[in-house]
Amino acid sequence: MTSLKKAMLLFTVLFIITGLVYPMTVTLIAGFLFPNQAHGSLIVDNENRVIGSALIGQNFTAPQYFQSRPSASGYNATSSGGSNLGPTNPILLELVDKRTNALWKAGITDPIPSDLVMASSSGLDPHISLESALIQVPVVAKARNLPEEKLKALVLTESVKSPFTGAYVNVLSLNRALDEMNQSNE
Amino acid sequence: MMITQSVTMDGLMLILFLVIVTGVALPLSNFFFRVFSGDMSRGILSHIEKTIYRLIETDSDREEGWRGYAQDMLIFNCIGFVILFILLLLQGFLPFNPQNFGAFDLLTAINTATSFVTNTNWQVYSGETAASYLTQMAGFTVQNFLSSATGICIAIAVMRGITRQSTDKIGNFWVDMTRCTLYILLPIAFVFALILASQGVIQNLDPYVQATGHGLHEQQTIAMGPVASQEAVKELGTNGGGFFNANSAHPFENPTSLTNLIEVFLILLIPVTLPFVFGRMTGRMWQGWMIYTVMLILFLGGVCTLYAAELAGNPLVKELGVSGISMEGKEVRFGLWESSLFATSTTATSCGAVNSMHDSLTPLGGLVPLFMMLLGEVAFGGVGSGFYTMIGFVVLSVFIAGLMIGRTPEYLGKKIEILEMRAAVITVLVPGVLVLLFSGIALVLPNVSELMKNPGPHGLSELIYAFASMSQNNGSAFAGFDASNAFYTLIGALAMAIGRFVPAVAMLAMAGSLAQKKKVPPSSGTLPTASITFSIWTILVILIIGALTFFPLFAMGPIVEHLIMTGGV
């Protein structure tokens, strides 16, 4: 048998094993054992509509919500990616300046944590740092006419601690909890 | 958030992490050793293995010389290229394509097929808008297994060449490929794919999901796919090609702090294991520890520099009233430490997956990934390729040291002569020459600056990074650089192919030559290669070759930008 024929046969067998059997088996087992995670950790409302994914960030800009991070892709979950702006690029500095000023204007006190004015790597970062959530409390409290203490407590219960980074908050989860709190108040 | 960052804690965490990787690599190296000596053949996998040998009429005990081994390796990889190329062109007519993606265009297909066959995974396409699920599974995942298995097989053949004597046989490529894929890559990838899936990495064949969005109802279409199965082998085989455009920064590829550590663990696992496999093969574990130590020191230098540069942050942004490190192109859940660890690991090996956008790192932070690639990706190196490139450096170090102290250069009892030196020099220099040559050509072409996303010295860094990444088969990018035109797709494919196969064949030739030689018993004139002195010497040789070859480029790119950023000029 020539080397070419051997190579073709071996490739065919390994192709079937690694390219079809392996991913299909993982799909079946993962779908069986971890159906929620395997299908995207989707959040579904009472009317069975998909609101989003617990892992994928959404764009929140209205004052009654906690803002998410800036995104180079506008939270388009079919076009992930970062800005790729370099550290000395004037466009980056201009953007950061604009975002910082907008936050100051909205009533947030300085200094602004960097994650709130600099775009993420995926464009879909679901989190902001705990600090970034806390400095937004007065603004959201005012827009919703809620006591600041109550909001602060909510942010702290929503915050996740990690041994490798500081504490952070899932913005979608926080804003959902916020709306639920408002509804139960009414 | 970043203010609470404790540097000591991060340092301890790094040490603990590396201890765990090494602790797993040591017993794993024993497993590797047994797999490649045919000692593991049992169970259902052995049934498949024997069926394969019957099918291709191969006797697992019949070995080949280096020429046969290299020829089989090249033929096998050519077939891989052709099949992937066809898949990319035909994907519009094939199943598992819920988004109805059409064919890749011709040049993109050539570039992409070369990229995945050479273990580079440089991507000029964007996963979620161009590649069907079939392409991801039967195209990219297959090459993620086979290109990394190819690298490991070559490394094992080189080890055999060094440790055997008076034979011209260095192994049977078909047998090595089969064993590596079945016993090593497949089981580890399978287990870790499920672990990743349990933590939120998606694994499905669903069409993209329409979500209403919360609150003010901003609609969102969410990309889906069989991600976990590819993610595991993408890291394990230091491939690095993201399922999604954002690669391992995408929450569906890398949802948590823990999955991030698992992924870095997978990236480093096989590269850290191989020196110990070598130690076991030579019967002298200290030889393995020596190579491991050299790699470790270079790695630690990289990770600490990157961490320190990012910790210092960007003063231009701080002036605007912003606190903390530069978070542009970083994810909150990874923060400083996990971003630094990932960026160094992915470029110190030939992985190229990213969890932060390297283009947006601070100048000195971004210099580290570039530097790690240009050193030849030897700390700890790509699966297989890192090890054999390191052997190239060791042979070079033995030779230079031998000349300086007037001893016959020999490594582990084998005389280093003309053929070995030729192979070592080719292995060490070819990728670097490609970087200089192609960057030079690119720079004299008109309108090159229009392809750069960032002005000034950073644009030059982007260009060099692109060629370093392709020639060294890394695949990460300063992704602002637009390398999608005909010139870059074709010359990039050329750089990837030469950068992969020329050193591979050269090292197989060295293995063939060394296998034929008799071992000379160590005498008082032998240079001890498992000593601290020799380790330091090897590090210096690696640094001098890397630093001197590229220092002018570093100076004109990242270093000038650092001075501009800090107001040093």
Side-chain angles (χ1 to χ4, degrees):
Chain A
M1 195 183 278
T2 62
S3 285
L4 182 65
K5 205 172 160 203
K6 283 184 183 185
M8 276 156 67
L9 283 172
L10 180 61
F11 185 86
T12 310
V13 176
L14 294 181
F15 175 90
I16 293 168
I17 294 176
T18 59
L20 300 172
V21 177
Y22 161 73
M24 290 304 179
T25 313
V26 175
T27 308
L28 285 176
I29 298 179
F32 178 71
L33 292 179
F34 323 109
N36 178 46
Q37 292 95 315
H39 292 279
S41 308
L42 298 176
I43 303 170
V44 180
D45 69 4
N46 300 332
E47 290 149 46
N48 223 10
R49 284 176 310 189
V50 177
I51 293 171
S53 163
L55 299 175
I56 303 286
Q58 297 189 0
N59 202 10
F60 290 100
T61 45
Q64 65 267 38
Y65 286 114
F66 285 90
Q67 291 194 16
S68 26
R69 295 185 62 187
S71 160
S73 68
Y75 286 92
N76 179 346
T78 56
S79 164
S80 59
S83 71
N84 285 312
L85 293 169
T88 56
N89 193 326
I91 300 172
L92 172 73
L93 301 175
E94 212 171 283
L95 275 172
V96 172
D97 195 33
K98 222 170 75 186
R99 291 167 185 155
T100 312
N101 280 315
L103 290 172
W104 281 333
K105 225 166 132 190
I108 291 173
T109 46
D110 63 334
I112 310 284
S114 55
D115 59 311
L116 211 49
V117 287
M118 298 181 101
S120 64
S121 179
S122 61
L124 301 168
D125 195 342
H127 301 116
I128 54 176
S129 61
L130 176 61
E131 205 188 341
S132 289
L134 288 175
I135 62 161
Q136 296 187 55
V137 164
V139 181
V140 181
K142 205 172 140 201
R144 295 208 169 223
N145 209 5
L146 284 169
E148 283 189 24
E149 281 313 304
K150 215 173 160 187
L151 276 188
K152 197 175 160 193
L154 182 73
V155 169
L156 289 172
T157 42
E158 284 284 324
S159 77
V160 189
K161 280 189 188 67
S162 148
F164 311 110
T165 60
Y168 52 81
V169 182
N170 184 309
V171 185
L172 176 59
S173 169
L174 174 64
N175 282 331
R176 273 166 52 83
L178 191 60
D179 278 347
E180 271 165 31
M181 191 170 81
N182 253 50
Q183 272 164 10
S184 59
N185 271 6
E186 278 160 10
Chain B
M1 154 181 102
M2 296 308 157
I3 299 161
T4 57
Q5 209 54 263
S6 148
V7 177
T8 327
M9 190 66 189
D10 287 349
L12 289 173
M13 215 88 83
L14 176 67
I15 294 167
L16 180 67
F17 180 76
L18 290 171
V19 167
I20 291 173
V21 175
T22 312
V24 178
L26 276 165
L28 188 64
S29 69
N30 190 33
F31 180 74
F32 268 63
F33 179 67
R34 291 172 63 189
V35 164
F36 285 103
S37 15
D39 202 11
M40 286 314 292
S41 307
R42 56 181 76 103
I44 183 166
L45 290 175
S46 119
H47 191 71
I48 301 175
E49 185 193 348
K50 292 202 178 89
T51 313
I52 291 176
Y53 298 158
R54 261 203 306 279
L55 186 71
I56 62 172
E57 295 173 11
T58 288
D59 178 357
S60 61
D61 294 328
R62 254 190 61 190
E63 300 198 331
E64 307 163 288
W66 80 266
R67 281 197 180 81
Y69 201 93
Q71 183 199 314
D72 293 349
M73 183 272 289
L74 291 173
I75 292 174
F76 188 80
N77 277 277
C78 277
I79 292 172
F81 172 85
V82 172
I83 299 295
L84 179 53
F85 181 65
I86 294 173
L87 262 177
L88 295 175
L89 293 183
L90 293 185
Q91 76 166 5
F93 305 105
L94 297 170
F96 300 114
N97 186 7
Q99 301 310 118
N100 296 316
F101 293 134
F104 276 54
D105 75 66
L106 195 67
L107 293 179
T108 312
I110 291 175
N111 184 285
T112 305
T114 314
S115 166
F116 276 79
V117 170
T118 56
N119 200 254
T120 312
N121 296 22
W122 174 264
Q123 295 168 291
V124 286
Y125 66 94
S126 156
E128 62 262 49
T129 53
S132 76
Y133 297 162
L134 186 76
T135 301
Q136 299 270 18
M137 295 189 293
F140 301 152
T141 303
V142 167
Q143 280 310 322
N144 280 354
F145 276 103
L146 301 186
S147 68
S148 50
T150 299
I152 296 172
C153 291
I154 297 168
I156 296 290
V158 168
M159 292 180 201
R160 291 192 187 120
I162 297 172
T163 50
R164 289 177 177 181
Q165 57 178 337
S166 310
T167 171
D168 60 342
K169 305 278 189 280
I170 59 165
N172 181 323
F173 179 73
W174 316 119
V175 172
D176 287 346
M177 268 310 272
T178 307
R179 285 179 178 159
C180 185
T181 312
L182 288 185
Y183 295 109
I184 296 172
L185 297 178
L186 205 55
I188 302 180
F190 182 74
V191 170
F192 277 92
L194 289 176
I195 294 176
L196 289 174
S198 76
Q199 298 302 307
V201 179
I202 60 172
Q203 179 74 24
N204 60 60
L205 301 169
D206 303 344
Y208 290 6
V209 171
Q210 288 293 334
T212 59
H214 179 76
L216 302 171
H217 298 285
E218 209 171 301
Q219 291 255 341
Q220 198 179 32
T221 306
I222 303 176
M224 290 283 141
V227 178
S229 54
Q230 187 167 330
E231 193 70 23
V233 69
K234 160 188 136 185
E235 318 292 8
L236 178 67
T238 64
N239 292 284
F243 194 97
F244 299 111
N245 189 44
N247 210 307
S248 292
H250 196 293
F252 278 164
E253 286 201 26
N254 195 357
T256 66
S257 196
L258 178 67
T259 56
N260 191 61
L261 283 183
I262 292 173
E263 289 178 16
V264 181
F265 172 83
L266 286 175
I267 291 173
L268 294 177
L269 185 60
I270 294 178
V272 173
T273 301
L274 287 172
F276 298 125
V277 180
F278 180 61
R280 285 181 203 281
M281 272 195 160
T282 53
R284 284 177 266 186
M285 274 309 270
W286 283 114
Q287 296 294 339
W289 279 104
M290 173 262 159
I291 292 180
Y292 167 84
T293 311
V294 169
M295 292 172 162
L296 181 68
I297 290 170
L298 292 169
F299 179 82
L300 284 175
V303 83
C304 294
T305 311
L306 203 158
Y307 180 89
E310 292 303 311
L311 184 67
N314 183 343
L316 300 178
V317 173
K318 285 181 180 162
E319 274 169 27
L320 301 171
V322 176
S323 69
I325 64 159
S326 168
M327 284 299 284
E328 189 74 24
K330 291 193 189 70
E331 300 281 296
V332 168
R333 64 190 179 282
F334 305 141
L336 173 62
W337 183 72
E338 285 199 276
S339 300
S340 309
L341 180 66
F342 201 109
T344 313
S345 304
T346 199
T347 48
T349 66
S350 78
C351 186
V354 294
N355 81 351
S356 65
M357 291 301 143
H358 295 182
D359 214 347
S360 298
L361 292 171
T362 59
L364 295 185
L367 174 61
V368 171
L370 182 61
F371 192 73
M372 297 311 282
M373 288 193 298
L374 289 174
L375 283 188
E377 289 170 357
V378 288
F380 296 85
V383 289
S385 60
F387 178 82
Y388 61 70
T389 309
M390 181 53 105
I391 290 294
F393 274 112
V394 169
V395 165
L396 198 64
S397 307
V398 165
F399 184 78
I400 299 174
L403 284 186
M404 288 168 78
I405 56 178
R407 287 180 187 177
T408 330
E410 53 183 62
Y411 183 48
L412 297 173
K414 296 293 179 80
K415 277 209 178 76
I416 304 298
E417 288 166 305
I418 293 177
L419 198 144
E420 287 76 27
M421 279 313 293
R422 275 198 192 128
V425 168
I426 287 174
T427 303
V428 165
L429 288 188
V430 160
V433 170
L434 289 176
V435 176
L436 294 178
L437 194 67
F438 288 150
S439 302
I441 294 173
L443 280 170
V444 295
L445 291 176
N447 307 330
V448 63
S449 61
E450 285 168 19
L451 303 173
M452 300 167 179
K453 172 125 192 172
N454 294 290
H458 197 91
L460 179 67
S461 306
E462 287 183 334
L463 177 83
I464 304 161
Y465 197 102
F467 283 112
S469 176
M470 292 189 281
S471 308
Q472 296 283 4
N473 300 134
N474 187 273
S476 68
F478 269 17
F481 188 75
D482 178 10
S484 64
N485 71 27
F487 172 75
Y488 286 97
T489 41
L490 287 178
I491 212 151
L494 191 66
M496 291 188 274
I498 298 175
R500 171 73 169 178
F501 293 111
V502 170
V505 173
M507 287 308 292
L508 284 175
M510 185 199 283
S513 161
L514 287 174
Q516 288 176 15
K517 295 184 180 181
K518 277 207 169 60
K519 273 183 199 159
V520 188
S523 67
S524 59
T526 307
L527 178 75
T529 48
S531 65
I532 295 172
T533 321
F534 186 73
S535 301
I536 296 172
W537 172 246
T538 308
I539 293 171
L540 290 176
V541 168
I542 295 171
L543 285 177
I544 286 169
I545 290 175
L548 282 192
T549 314
F550 302 105
F551 185 76
L553 292 176
F554 296 149
M556 286 187 291
I559 294 176
V560 165
E561 193 188 14
H562 174 74
L563 295 175
I564 292 173
M565 186 183 81
T566 53
V569 284

